[in-house]
Amino acid sequence: MAASVSGLLKPWTPRVLLVRWSRYNPYYLEPEVRKEAYSRPESELSPEEKEQRQLKTLRPIKAAPNAVTSSAFDNPVLSKFINMMMKDGNKVLAREIMMQTLENIKKKQVEKYHKAADGTKEEIECNPYAIFHQALENCKPVVGLASIQKGGKYYQVPIPLTDNRRRFFAMKWMITECRENKHRRTHMYEKLSQELLAAFEKEGNVIKKKHEMHKMAEANRAYAHYRWW
Amino acid sequence: MAANCVRFAASLLGKGVNGASPTNPVTLQLYRQICGTSALRRKNLAAAGPEKFTPEFIQKQIEEFEIGKRHLANMMGEDPENFNQEDIDRSIAYLFPSGLFEKKARPLMKHPDEIFPKQRAVQWGPDRRPFHFLFYTGKQSYYSLMHELYGKVLNIEKHQDRLRAKGLFSTETKQISLGTSRWLTKEELEELLVETISTHDYDRFIQLMERMLSMAYSSLEEEFILRHRQQLEAQTMHQVVPPLQKDDKGVDFSTAEGKRKTSKSSVVVRDGGSGSITINGEDYLHYFPVLQDREQLMFPLQFTGLLGRFDLECTVSGGGRSSQAGALRLAISRALLSFVSEGEGEAMRQAGLLTPDPRVRERKKPGQEGARRKFTWKKR
């Protein structure tokens, strides 16, 4: 903490420039955008949450990012996926592709719904957001591989993955799959919607990739003790 | 060739002369030839350390400042009695306008206590013996503080032992209410002691203070502890709420400004009722064809739940579409503060709506292609 609080509230450049630094002083806390977090009464909170609330009243808070709102339609996973699909900062195009994908998914599901027999109608999921989330969940690997050097050779060692890492893999595989393994004439949104629906049913190339990763981890199980963390 | 002045040093031999007695001292003067250049006699400015000011000098400066303040007040035609520092700054800026960018290089008139660094008075008496018993440690204030602190720790322990002997020791005693306070930082402690301390010393000090706090009967020395803690004030105190004005038709409105990157915006929020938004004379649907920007405009209104209630008249200039949307969002949040209660205002601050985004374009550096991108590395 610096000597004067007013010095902390200004835009900041660290004295020794690190490779990864931000214009915010490390004193600042992350913003909490969802409305529900502020309507919870005191009684529902655990001691840590109470302490956190106390801390938030005393410390300055960073500005909310541009792509984030408090509305019900804001989806952090979807925003992350759009950012990963974005090329050269063209967010408009990436978002457009995503919206077309979701529309496409909805169309296909509604077609299936109308064609289905009466008994099976309830099982068909029509909400494209639910399909997107479930498809990503199905694509997430459980274990990953790390390249660890031991005795001059590099071994692929199975390691547990954090949630963020698993989500990253699922999204990365989905996007690379849709960019590369498609016919020249098919649009991105078309291919994406096909892959997402396939992943929802636990079929398709992305699921195959996940299974390959698991098989490799299983095959290299003998080296698991090389992990030291 | 530098002129070699030959100086003669005279020395008095006080002893070693046979037959000399206190009543009839025989003084023998011997002269020694000292040859040297003017370069040798030049003062070593670096070795002298920071400039030292005598208390008399500072006192004279203060008197001159007071007299100068009165003259300045008379010059500006204002009351010399109630002439405070803001008036001084204003008058100096008026009489000596300066276009210099470096604020510290501009003409300045402040009380000498703020200009001259705080120094300690001379620490020894006319007999050249130091006053303080810890003078020869080099850091007398720090060590005397630690000594005092440890004395208090022992005091508390003695008290606890006495109670234990009587059987009245209990852990549920009155604890010191620290509230929301923190220990003084190293800089603040240095200011308190008028002496520099190292980080190691500071850590030791904090360790001992924490140890004293952890003891059960630390409330005995409450006043001493609180003297070394700084109160943390809630951030809501810093919030500036724009005033709520009423226009001719009796409609409440408030104005606010916002900035983001190079965009500047100004917003007038009226308590009309239809929820229309005009930006630079155009409808917001035409000005921001992208959904993300419109979402940013709606964000503060949706967060406070006042979507359809206000009419917004906005002007924005500079920057790109995203930074204009960000500037407008900040301006709308600030304007809404005057319509919304304090608790809601605090919620808005914690949601990150009221902080101006400090991220700006990073400059390109020489020897690199861009801000971060380096030139292609070629092996040969």
Side-chain angles (χ1 to χ4, degrees):
Chain A
M1 283 187 255
S4 70
V5 181
S6 60
L8 294 173
L9 299 177
K10 299 194 192 111
W12 175 74
T13 353
R15 213 173 271 183
V16 182
L17 274 169
L18 313 153
V19 179
R20 269 191 176 192
W21 55 280
S22 108
R23 289 279 285 178
Y24 289 110
N25 199 301
Y27 201 47
Y28 280 64
L29 299 174
E30 296 294 327
E32 173 62 68
V33 182
R34 295 165 305 140
K35 265 209 287 205
E36 305 82 44
Y38 297 103
S39 52
R40 291 172 70 192
E42 283 286 318
S43 47
E44 275 183 28
L45 305 174
S46 65
E48 293 94 26
E49 290 186 313
K50 283 205 180 86
E51 230 184 271
Q52 191 64 16
R53 253 202 196 181
Q54 182 67 0
L55 190 65
K56 283 216 151 178
T57 47
L58 299 167
R59 290 242 194 134
I61 312 265
K62 297 186 190 179
N66 247 9
V68 147
T69 53
S70 63
S71 80
F73 301 110
D74 184 56
N75 207 326
V77 181
L78 198 70
S79 310
K80 189 61 97 178
F81 194 80
I82 291 174
N83 283 343
M84 285 185 72
M85 250 199 332
M86 172 166 67
K87 269 189 177 176
D88 295 329
N90 200 344
K91 180 90 138 230
V92 179
L93 187 59
R95 199 165 171 159
E96 195 52 47
I97 294 173
M98 196 68 225
M99 291 303 139
Q100 283 169 343
T101 318
L102 295 171
E103 213 184 292
N104 213 315
I105 293 176
K106 179 85 184 219
K107 270 195 207 155
K108 290 183 184 164
Q109 289 299 90
V110 168
E111 251 186 78
K112 244 171 54 175
Y113 181 84
H114 286 305
K115 285 193 190 144
D118 273 320
T120 50
K121 274 203 172 170
E122 285 77 37
E123 286 146 19
I124 297 178
E125 178 65 59
C126 277
N127 186 358
Y129 293 100
I131 293 183
F132 175 76
H133 282 132
Q134 188 53 47
L136 270 192
E137 274 297 324
N138 294 347
C139 291
K140 284 185 185 173
V142 176
V143 285
L145 295 167
S147 198
I148 295 185
Q149 191 191 21
K150 185 111 176 165
K153 262 174 59 170
Y154 285 88
Y155 298 98
Q156 294 293 316
V157 175
I159 53 163
L161 295 171
T162 58
D163 267 333
N164 279 344
R165 193 81 183 133
R166 295 171 61 206
R167 194 182 61 177
F168 170 76
F169 274 129
M171 291 191 198
K172 184 84 176 178
W173 288 338
M174 184 66 76
I175 294 173
T176 26
E177 166 67 39
C178 294
R179 278 182 185 162
E180 286 156 21
N181 293 357
K182 68 175 171 75
H183 181 65
R184 189 181 58 87
R185 298 273 304 188
T186 39
H187 292 282
M188 177 74 171
Y189 66 84
E190 182 61 49
K191 174 74 179 167
L192 234 191
S193 54
Q194 285 168 10
E195 274 305 323
L196 282 172
L197 285 169
F200 185 68
E201 309 293 332
K202 297 218 173 103
E203 304 151 353
N205 283 345
V206 194
I207 301 285
K208 208 167 75 168
K209 201 147 177 189
K210 173 181 97 154
H211 288 320
E212 270 169 28
M213 172 91 124
H214 285 175
K215 276 185 213 147
M216 282 281 287
E218 186 62 38
N220 286 357
R221 217 171 121 166
Y223 304 125
H225 64 284
Y226 282 173
R227 178 173 67 96
W228 64 83
W229 63 86
Chain B
M1 274 293 248
N4 288 351
C5 312
V6 172
R7 276 155 95 235
F8 291 96
S11 70
L12 266 74
L13 281 176
K15 56 175 181 179
V17 178
N18 292 330
S21 60
T23 46
N24 187 14
V26 174
T27 54
L28 207 64
Q29 292 227 333
L30 288 181
Y31 287 91
R32 243 182 344 130
Q33 210 181 28
I34 296 179
C35 304
T37 56
S38 56
L40 286 173
R41 279 178 283 283
R42 239 202 318 258
K43 272 195 295 191
N44 186 355
L45 295 167
E51 217 179 328
K52 292 183 183 49
F53 307 102
T54 51
E56 294 85 21
F57 174 77
I58 303 265
Q59 193 55 41
K60 207 159 64 83
Q61 293 292 316
I62 293 177
E63 280 163 29
E64 281 181 12
F65 173 75
E66 293 299 328
I67 296 172
K69 200 166 83 160
R70 297 185 79 91
H71 277 304
L72 189 61
N74 283 331
M75 260 193 271
M76 298 299 290
E78 298 198 22
D79 178 23
E81 298 300 321
N82 305 338
F83 205 55
N84 45 7
Q85 189 58 47
E86 293 157 13
D87 298 327
I88 298 179
D89 291 335
R90 211 172 13 94
S91 326
I92 296 286
Y94 172 72
L95 291 168
F96 303 99
S98 155
L100 295 173
F101 287 128
E102 178 65 57
K103 299 280 193 311
K104 293 183 203 167
R106 294 186 175 178
L108 173 77
M109 182 165 164
K110 283 207 186 321
H111 191 82
D113 279 340
E114 291 169 40
I115 300 181
F116 295 103
K118 276 217 182 76
Q119 280 169 351
R120 274 198 292 197
V122 167
Q123 299 290 313
W124 50 87
D127 59 346
R128 293 194 293 180
R129 284 186 72 216
F131 298 132
H132 204 280
F133 71 107
L134 287 172
F135 174 77
Y136 287 111
T137 57
K139 307 181 246 188
Q140 66 178 51
S141 327
Y142 169 72
Y143 281 115
S144 76
L145 175 67
M146 292 298 275
H147 183 72
E148 196 189 334
L149 183 54
Y150 193 60
K152 291 194 192 294
V153 168
L154 290 175
N155 197 12
I156 297 177
E157 280 184 0
K158 211 160 62 164
H159 181 76
Q160 283 178 341
D161 289 337
R162 258 186 276 133
L163 287 176
R164 247 186 279 256
K166 282 193 227 163
L168 297 167
F169 181 82
S170 67
T171 33
E172 297 93 28
T173 43
K174 181 173 87 79
Q175 294 297 319
I176 307 180
S177 62
L178 296 167
T180 52
S181 60
R182 57 171 172 85
W183 292 117
L184 289 179
T185 57
K186 185 161 114 53
E187 284 85 9
E188 284 165 356
L189 194 62
E190 280 180 0
E191 223 181 323
L192 193 66
L193 299 174
V194 196
E195 172 179 86
T196 43
I197 40 178
S198 72
T199 25
H200 184 78
D201 295 335
Y202 175 70
D203 291 332
R204 278 269 180 268
F205 168 71
I206 296 291
Q207 247 177 16
L208 200 49
M209 283 297 227
E210 290 286 340
R211 185 173 144 193
M212 192 156 91
L213 255 189
S214 63
M215 291 202 281
Y217 281 83
S218 49
S219 46
L220 287 171
E221 307 297 344
E222 180 171 343
E223 184 253 317
F224 181 77
I225 292 179
L226 287 176
R227 225 189 307 154
H228 296 277
R229 280 191 85 99
Q230 172 89 337
Q231 209 53 32
L232 279 171
E233 39 175 47
Q235 287 292 325
T236 30
M237 310 298 176
H238 300 286
Q239 225 62 272
V240 175
V241 176
L244 193 59
Q245 299 149 28
K246 250 186 173 11
D247 73 357
D248 323 321
K249 300 187 184 88
V251 172
D252 291 327
F253 73 99
S254 82
T255 330
E257 290 183 357
K259 272 206 279 203
R260 169 94 213 267
K261 275 189 186 180
T262 35
S263 310
K264 286 206 214 345
S265 74
S266 152
V267 155
V268 177
V269 173
R270 266 176 237 278
D271 203 354
S274 62
S276 68
I277 304 181
T278 337
I279 307 178
N280 287 355
E282 289 174 42
D283 191 39
Y284 69 112
L285 208 48
H286 292 300
Y287 198 79
F288 286 133
V290 182
L291 180 64
Q292 181 186 301
D293 307 330
R294 294 198 296 271
E295 272 179 353
Q296 288 300 295
L297 288 186
M298 295 303 147
F299 184 6
L301 298 168
Q302 200 269 340
F303 186 79
T304 46
L306 306 163
L307 265 175
R309 198 171 124 186
F310 297 103
D311 280 339
L312 305 175
E313 252 174 63
C314 329
T315 45
V316 70
S317 64
R321 61 147 238 271
S322 203
S323 62
Q324 281 187 346
L328 280 172
R329 182 182 92 181
L330 183 61
I332 295 173
S333 329
R334 283 184 178 158
L336 278 184
L337 271 182
S338 49
F339 289 99
V340 124
S341 67
E342 262 205 44
E344 290 242 325
E346 174 63 21
M348 274 171 72
R349 183 190 76 89
Q350 288 190 12
L353 281 170
L354 296 168
T355 326
D357 208 324
R359 301 179 289 177
V360 288
R361 189 178 145 269
E362 201 176 314
R363 68 160 278 199
K364 174 195 172 321
K365 285 108 192 170
Q368 292 177 6
E369 177 122 17
R372 297 282 170 117
R373 162 132 172 98
K374 322 281 186 282
F375 288 123
T376 319
W377 180 74
K378 294 218 179 67
K379 201 157 175 180
R380 41 188 78 88

